[in-house]
Amino acid sequence: MKKIFLMLAMSFLTVGCNDQAVEIEKPPVVRTITVENDNAESEEIYSGTVKGRYEINLAFQVGGRIINRAVDVGDRVSIGNVLMTLDASDFDQQTRQADAQLSSTAAQLELARSNLERYQKLFDEDAIPAAVLDEYRTNYDAALAAHENARAAAQQSYNALSYTRLTADADGVISAVNVEEGQVVAAGQTVLTLVQTNELEVEINVPENKLPTIDQSAVIKFWASTVETRGVVREIAPMADAASRTYRVRITLLEPPSEIRLGMTASASFDAEKKPSEGFAVPLTAIYQSDNQPKIFIVDGDQVKSKAVEVKRFEGNQALIAGVKRGDVIVTAGVNKLRDGQSVRLNP
């Protein structure tokens, strides 16, 4: 009897412990986010680099050996400055030859002119036949043509001599030097790159989904300067970059600060993007479907309440929703396991 009594007592104790365990079951822990900036002004800022609108690849119009390089990368130059010089010995010789040929043809032309004038007088006096006069007139025409040809050849040799000096076509900065002194270069071979500084731009890259928000006017700020300026969009690339899927946008600076240099870091924001936000971005895990209606759970005290929302659009792993207000606490995970009015605990 004692054994039976002890077994019955232990069974009653076990049942009491199980009932107590059910009674102390704790509410589930949920992850949440708080609405901070709903209906606030949104503004996209794009980082970029200061560049010159025009980059010119400079080359000699004749070939030869470089005997002098007067600039290095980063040097500022003005229009007309001599940047490089070729050995002009051969070109000097060609100009002397051209001058000698020009003098020779000038003498031949003068002789032909004198002969023509003399025989013209004889013909006027009926002393010679017309055939003789025609012969001297032909000699004069040939001498004149030879002289004009020699003049053109001389001018060409002068031009070639002047081409041995490479000068700056505009004010700017040398961004690349491709040759050194002593090197032999061919005509048309790029030896320097000149970036013009009379018109500066900022180049940015814009994602394809943000391209419709790009306005003509932009506010430009610089990392190395507290001065900001305005710019105008000059060019938007017609095709996206194959790797980054972004579009190159070039913005002309209207009044660039004097301290701005090529290659500096800049940021651009557009007036068109300073507009009320369309909603609030939440993770996709915060949204569930009920009766074909997207909903979320709002934490109210220690309970969750279901709330219908409108999904404006999807952006990657997030959704832009309307129907929430500043201060709302939204459950972001495990929403499919919750029920309306259920008690929850917040993840600390």
Side-chain angles (χ1 to χ4, degrees):
M1 288 293 293
K2 291 182 178 179
K3 290 183 179 180
I4 295 173
F5 177 77
L6 289 173
M7 293 177 62
L8 290 173
M10 293 180 63
S11 64
F12 284 128
L13 289 173
T14 304
V15 172
C17 292
N18 290 338
D19 291 341
Q20 184 178 4
V22 172
E23 290 176 359
I24 64 174
E25 181 180 357
K26 295 182 179 180
V29 178
V30 294
R31 294 181 180 274
T32 62
I33 57 174
T34 303
V35 176
E36 297 287 351
N37 59 347
D38 184 54
N39 293 329
E41 285 191 343
S42 63
E43 179 182 4
E44 292 286 348
I45 299 178
Y46 304 95
S47 61
T49 305
V50 178
K51 295 188 175 183
R53 177 173 180 176
Y54 300 105
E55 296 186 4
I56 306 172
N57 292 325
L58 301 179
F60 286 101
Q61 292 182 246
V62 294
R65 183 173 61 88
I66 297 174
I67 61 173
N68 180 51
R69 177 168 67 85
V71 292
D72 291 310
V73 173
D75 286 351
R76 302 184 69 87
V77 298
S78 300
I79 185 171
N81 288 162
V82 178
L83 309 178
M84 281 189 181
T85 306
L86 294 178
D87 184 2
S89 301
D90 293 340
F91 298 99
D92 285 334
Q93 183 66 27
Q94 291 174 6
T95 56
R96 286 194 292 269
Q97 291 176 350
D99 287 340
Q101 183 65 27
L102 184 61
S103 298
S104 176
T105 57
Q108 294 294 329
L109 178 62
E110 180 61 25
L111 176 61
R113 185 185 62 79
S114 299
N115 289 337
L116 178 60
E117 290 178 353
R118 183 166 57 256
Y119 279 87
Q120 180 67 49
K121 292 179 180 179
L122 293 175
F123 176 78
D124 294 340
E125 297 173 355
D126 294 330
I128 59 172
V132 176
L133 179 62
D134 291 341
E135 180 181 354
Y136 282 95
R137 183 177 288 116
T138 301
N139 291 340
Y140 173 78
D141 292 340
L144 179 61
H147 182 66
E148 292 299 327
N149 184 60
R151 187 193 302 277
Q155 185 61 50
Q156 187 176 12
S157 67
Y158 300 151
N159 292 340
L161 181 61
S162 67
Y163 295 155
T164 60
R165 288 157 47 97
L166 184 64
T167 58
D169 296 331
D171 298 343
V173 176
I174 302 299
S175 63
V177 177
N178 303 324
V179 295
E180 297 294 339
E181 289 186 15
Q183 184 173 341
V184 177
V185 297
Q189 178 182 342
T190 299
V191 295
L192 296 171
T193 300
L194 173 66
V195 180
Q196 295 186 18
T197 55
N198 57 345
E199 190 169 349
L200 296 179
E201 296 185 337
V202 170
E203 182 179 300
I204 62 174
N205 294 289
V206 178
E208 54 188 29
N209 64 323
K210 296 294 184 181
L211 202 59
T213 66
I214 300 301
D215 192 23
Q216 284 298 311
S217 179
V219 177
I220 308 297
K221 298 181 180 179
F222 305 94
W223 182 82
S225 173
T226 58
V227 179
E228 67 177 47
T229 186
R230 300 196 67 83
V232 176
V233 174
R234 180 184 64 83
E235 176 184 277
I236 300 178
M239 294 183 61
D241 182 80
S244 64
R245 305 308 304 167
T246 58
Y247 288 81
R248 187 187 74 250
V249 177
R250 304 275 292 206
I251 305 169
T252 299
L253 301 181
L254 299 180
E255 296 181 359
S258 58
E259 63 268 26
I260 297 306
R261 297 290 181 268
L262 294 172
M264 282 188 172
T265 303
S267 64
S269 58
F270 294 90
D271 296 339
E273 295 190 6
K274 295 182 179 180
K275 58 185 180 181
S277 173
E278 298 178 7
F280 180 72
V282 298
L284 294 178
T285 54
I287 302 174
Y288 72 99
Q289 291 281 341
S290 177
D291 299 329
N292 293 326
Q293 171 67 50
K295 295 183 178 181
I296 60 172
F297 279 110
I298 301 291
V299 178
D300 184 7
D302 60 352
Q303 295 182 339
V304 291
K305 293 184 178 181
S306 178
K307 186 173 184 179
V309 294
E310 178 186 358
V311 177
K312 295 291 188 179
R313 65 173 182 270
F314 296 98
E315 295 181 349
N317 294 325
Q318 292 185 323
L320 195 66
I321 64 172
V324 294
K325 62 182 183 300
R326 185 188 299 272
D328 284 347
V329 180
I330 302 174
V331 179
T332 60
V335 294
N336 293 322
K337 297 181 180 180
L338 299 177
R339 64 181 183 277
D340 198 11
Q342 182 178 356
S343 296
V344 294
R345 290 179 296 152
L346 301 184
N347 186 36

